[in-house]
Amino acid sequence: SCLLRFYPSATILQQRADYLRAEHWTIFGENYQALEQPAPNPSMHALVRYYSASNGDHWITSSYDVNFYSPYVVEQTLGYVYDQQQPGTHALYTCVTADGHHFSSLKATCVGGSYLRTEGWLLDKNTAGAQDVSLYSCVVTGDTKNDFDSSLPTCEGQTSIGLLGYTLAQPS
């Protein structure tokens, strides 16, 4: 179901669904099951860029528990990544430094930090034309600890580190 795609933890999903039902939210009307869409095959998740104003950290992740447990807010969705390796893909990892700043890496060794999680698998090359979204590793100019990812080669006016790979604009 759609909710399972966004809240993969069954316990958290059940707690949130029970709350919404108790509050009589219309999403759980009489025939809400008719609104369900089939999950993409192969399975994918959105890669989302979050930002915390309290520590100036960007966190790029496919996890949907970030907002629930922290001061991070969504900045933008950077596309969709595969949940499992597919032909012509490579892994994207999230790493964290000793002082709590997150950065993306193509290597699980996370030079300069510790491995946090595998976010998903990016396309090696632009295969679907307009359906693919470039993903660049960037750093805020003058602040080498503030890494973030962007779909723009100009890194939104900041410093580009390089191309990480490609996400899909829509789940397939």
Side-chain angles (χ1 to χ4, degrees):
S1 95
C2 178
L3 287 176
L4 286 175
R5 280 187 54 216
F6 294 103
Y7 296 103
S9 169
T11 304
I12 293 172
L13 172 63
Q14 190 60 52
Q15 291 170 349
R16 292 177 183 175
D18 290 344
Y19 169 78
L20 292 172
R21 282 190 182 105
E23 296 296 317
H24 305 288
W25 283 49
T26 57
I27 189 173
F28 293 105
E30 290 180 27
N31 193 17
Y32 70 90
Q33 291 167 332
L35 300 174
E36 292 182 0
Q37 298 292 318
N41 188 14
S43 183
M44 306 176 95
H45 273 86
L47 188 64
V48 179
R49 187 171 81 194
Y50 294 87
Y51 179 72
S52 170
S54 64
N55 65 3
D57 184 40
H58 288 92
W59 187 354
I60 290 74
T61 184
S62 58
S63 171
Y64 291 94
D65 288 338
V66 173
N67 249 355
F68 190 69
Y69 297 109
S70 68
Y72 289 84
V73 295
V74 173
E75 278 195 320
Q76 70 182 86
T77 299
L78 297 168
Y80 291 82
V81 293
Y82 291 108
D83 291 343
Q84 297 179 358
Q85 188 169 18
Q86 304 294 316
T89 64
H90 58 275
L92 179 68
Y93 305 100
T94 290
C95 309
V96 63
T97 61
D99 59 355
H101 288 275
H102 298 84
F103 64 96
S104 298
S105 177
L106 298 179
K107 298 183 182 204
T109 53
C110 295
V111 175
S114 300
Y115 170 85
L116 186 62
R117 61 177 270 136
T118 303
E119 296 303 339
W121 279 260
L122 299 170
L123 297 169
D124 293 337
K125 54 186 173 181
N126 188 349
T127 57
Q131 298 301 320
D132 295 347
V133 178
S134 303
L135 187 66
Y136 295 90
S137 179
C138 310
V139 65
V140 173
T141 304
D143 183 0
T144 58
K145 290 188 176 188
N146 196 344
D147 294 83
F148 67 100
D149 297 345
S150 175
S151 59
L152 300 174
T154 60
C155 286
E156 301 164 40
Q158 303 301 319
T159 303
S160 176
I161 297 171
L163 181 68
L164 292 168
Y166 300 88
T167 62
L168 279 85
Q170 301 285 331
S172 54

